[in-house]
Amino acid sequence: QVQLVESGGGLVQPGGSLRLSCAASGTRFRFNVMKWYRQAPGKQREEVAGITSGGNTNYADSVKGRFTISGDNGKNTVYLQMNSLKPEETAVYYCYADFPGYRVWGQGTQVTVSS
């Protein structure tokens, strides 16, 4: 059974930084795409950033220039470096992975931006 395990969330002050990690286990396949989403209380889940197996990346307009997604396709691991965080970015951040034949979500990690 494929599982995604996220880590790195926590409490950070406005303007601060956090680095999230997501590691996949239980599969011998390499991911096609891995993405980060977030869901704030009372809001819909939104895509934050994504990376393909070839290293192509995409970002939501709201995080461009502040967030960086990177990954290790050989290790099925993806990272999200988040800088200059804002209070409105408080949310549960979810990892998503697309493997050949199936897709899987992580359970999420809480990010709280507050002074």
Side-chain angles (χ1 to χ4, degrees):
Q1 184 177 357
V2 181
Q3 288 186 321
L4 298 179
V5 178
E6 301 112 328
S7 62
L11 173 65
V12 63
Q13 291 187 343
S17 299
L18 281 176
R19 186 182 190 232
L20 305 182
S21 300
C22 173
S25 62
T27 178
R28 61 183 175 88
F29 296 107
R30 301 291 184 254
F31 69 81
N32 294 323
V33 176
M34 288 187 80
K35 299 182 180 183
W36 287 98
Y37 288 77
R38 65 188 178 192
Q39 187 166 19
K43 295 188 176 181
Q44 289 189 330
R45 191 172 296 189
E46 63 172 349
E47 183 176 336
V48 176
I51 186 168
T52 69
S53 58
N56 294 317
T57 58
N58 67 278
Y59 298 92
D61 287 343
S62 60
V63 307
K64 285 180 181 177
R66 298 185 297 117
F67 288 15
T68 302
I69 188 170
S70 60
D72 186 333
N73 184 252
K75 295 182 179 179
N76 279 338
T77 301
V78 65
Y79 307 95
L80 185 67
Q81 178 67 42
M82 305 185 294
N83 299 328
S84 301
L85 282 160
K86 305 173 182 179
E88 56 265 36
E89 294 179 311
T90 294
V92 178
Y93 284 69
Y94 295 91
C95 182
Y96 164 88
D98 183 316
F99 289 94
Y102 55 93
R103 301 170 179 86
V104 62
W105 287 89
Q107 293 190 330
T109 184
Q110 177 70 44
V111 171
T112 301
V113 186
S114 175
S115 55

